[in-house]
Amino acid sequence: MTTHPRALPYRCVIFDLDGTLLDTRAAMMDALNGLLVELGRPPVTVELLLSTMHHGLGAMLNTALDETGRLPTQVMQRQLESLLRHRYLHTAATAVRRYAGTRALLDALQTHSVWMAICSNQDEHSVRTLLELFGLRDYFREVVGGDTFVARKPDPMPLRWLMTAARSSPENTVLVGDSA
């Protein structure tokens, strides 16, 4: 007897990346604390950054710099953010982990012809790099990073853009993430 997959109630699934498909917390913290130590500042704890982790490396860096001393100029802060991103991506292959079941879930959704995308607050280049590194890029029709548009999550603009690209509506779309 052949069974047919049951139709899903949504046609579009938008995933966050960090803490949802990939466990990036330790890699982000290692890269950030390594940079802080190089700058002669003390390392920070995960607890200090819990409220900013969902806003990307730039927000984490800003909070850490503010907590450990004076904030640098905006130009210096952008340079530090670029250095942090490079350091993070350099160690991602060994420090980032794909959650168990990720590929099985994506395969199942693909079998159901679900339109899938990523909406992350990491910069788009980093998101694309991580997806390629972990063999996940081909699952996603669109990738939106924190720097793709002028607005970023939790602003609804990137999600609305993705729903438009998917020709979907809020009633037919689900956002999968690890934060409010």
Side-chain angles (χ1 to χ4, degrees):
M1 173 179 199
T2 305
T3 59
H4 298 284
R6 195 169 58 107
L8 298 177
Y10 38 82
R11 61 179 313 257
C12 174
V13 177
I14 301 169
F15 288 93
D16 181 24
L17 184 65
D18 303 298
T20 303
L21 299 175
L22 299 178
D23 183 358
T24 57
R25 182 181 286 185
M28 288 178 163
M29 290 301 299
D30 287 349
L32 178 61
N33 280 327
L35 180 61
L36 289 172
V37 169
E38 281 182 19
L39 295 171
R41 294 176 182 230
V44 295
T45 64
V46 168
E47 292 74 26
L48 176 70
L49 299 178
L50 282 178
S51 65
T52 58
M53 279 188 151
H54 300 291
H55 298 285
L57 281 171
M60 291 171 63
L61 176 63
N62 188 52
T63 299
L65 290 172
D66 190 37
E67 287 293 323
T68 60
R70 291 185 19 209
L71 285 172
T73 65
Q74 282 187 335
V75 170
M76 174 66 103
Q77 199 157 337
R78 281 194 298 272
Q79 291 171 343
L80 290 174
E81 188 174 338
S82 177
L83 184 60
L84 174 60
R85 189 176 314 115
H86 175 75
R87 178 185 208 115
Y88 166 67
L89 290 176
H90 181 72
T91 63
T94 57
V96 172
R97 301 276 181 254
R98 185 175 65 215
Y99 285 114
T102 295
R103 191 174 296 280
L105 170 65
L106 298 175
D107 284 339
L109 291 172
Q110 198 170 51
T111 298
H112 284 279
S113 300
V114 172
W115 192 97
M116 293 182 281
I118 294 287
C119 186
S120 174
N121 276 334
Q122 275 202 58
D123 65 286
E124 186 176 335
H125 171 75
S126 295
V127 173
R128 289 181 183 281
T129 299
L130 290 168
L131 290 173
E132 289 290 338
L133 185 63
F134 288 93
L136 301 175
R137 176 61 187 102
D138 291 340
Y139 288 102
F140 302 102
R141 300 280 296 274
E142 294 287 346
V143 173
V144 171
D147 61 344
T148 304
F149 302 113
V150 294
R152 62 190 311 166
K153 295 184 308 177
D155 188 290
M157 183 267 164
L159 299 175
R160 287 183 180 140
W161 185 88
L162 287 167
M163 283 188 288
T164 299
R167 295 186 175 105
S168 190
S169 67
E171 296 79 21
N172 297 319
T173 302
V174 64
L175 172 63
V176 180
D178 65 330
S179 69

